[in-house]
Amino acid sequence: MSTVELSPGDRTHLAEALRIARETQAEGNKPFGAVLVAADGRVLATGRNAAAQTGDPTSHAELDAVRAVAAADRGAVAGATMFASGEPCPMCAAALVWSGVGRIVFGTAAADIRAVAPGPPGFRLPCADVVAASDAILEVVGPALGEEGLAPFREVGNSPAG
């Protein structure tokens, strides 16, 4: 599990995504949170995983944040940074490409999450590979949180329902 260095601002936004992840975990969902930040540094929206609560398997944190902004002002998403507690899945990575974000910063790698909290069948396709297969110019940074970001998933993996 390797990590990357972050700027103080990046660290703050990623810490908020992790806080949201823990909050949604307390609500019975897998611990995924997201913060969408405009190119000028304004927080545009936050998102949370609500798949367990809603029954909607597409209710992912990143999509929740993008939907909150795109409905009112899709242009605000252009060039924004998505901070996600966990590595965006292929569905979310593709949606982030299509939404026009300029950067994705994530805390914990999907492979590390699967190792401690196996879930239903999924993809082993990293976010960076999905982005690289597109024609978008989009930077992907992560994993950036190490054990701190993996801790909530360890709790899920050790719970009777996890």
Side-chain angles (χ1 to χ4, degrees):
M1 172 184 352
S2 62
T3 60
V4 296
E5 290 296 316
L6 297 176
S7 72
D10 286 353
R11 189 102 173 102
T12 297
H13 295 307
L14 200 52
E16 177 63 6
L18 185 58
R19 186 196 66 73
I20 293 166
R22 284 204 170 274
E23 201 173 77
T24 196
Q25 179 182 27
E27 297 166 352
N29 298 290
K30 295 271 181 153
F32 291 97
V35 178
L36 183 61
V37 179
D40 66 8
R42 291 175 297 122
V43 173
L44 296 170
T46 61
R48 58 188 57 240
N49 173 22
Q53 286 175 307
T54 65
D56 178 356
T58 68
S59 187
H60 290 198
E62 300 90 339
L63 296 181
D64 188 37
V66 168
R67 286 177 183 139
V69 176
D73 181 9
R74 179 158 181 191
V77 179
T81 298
M82 177 60 72
F83 293 90
S85 60
E87 181 175 5
C89 71
M91 174 184 69
C92 290
L96 293 173
V97 166
W98 288 322
S99 71
V101 301
R103 189 166 171 246
I104 299 168
V105 179
F106 67 90
T108 306
D112 293 335
I113 293 169
R114 280 190 305 276
V116 300
F123 293 88
R124 297 190 189 290
L125 184 61
C127 175
D129 289 356
V130 174
V131 170
S134 78
D135 57 4
I137 299 172
L138 199 160
E139 179 185 17
V140 178
V141 178
L145 290 177
E147 186 54 41
E148 176 187 9
L150 194 56
F153 295 99
R154 285 191 190 285
E155 295 164 16
V156 168
N158 293 325
S159 73

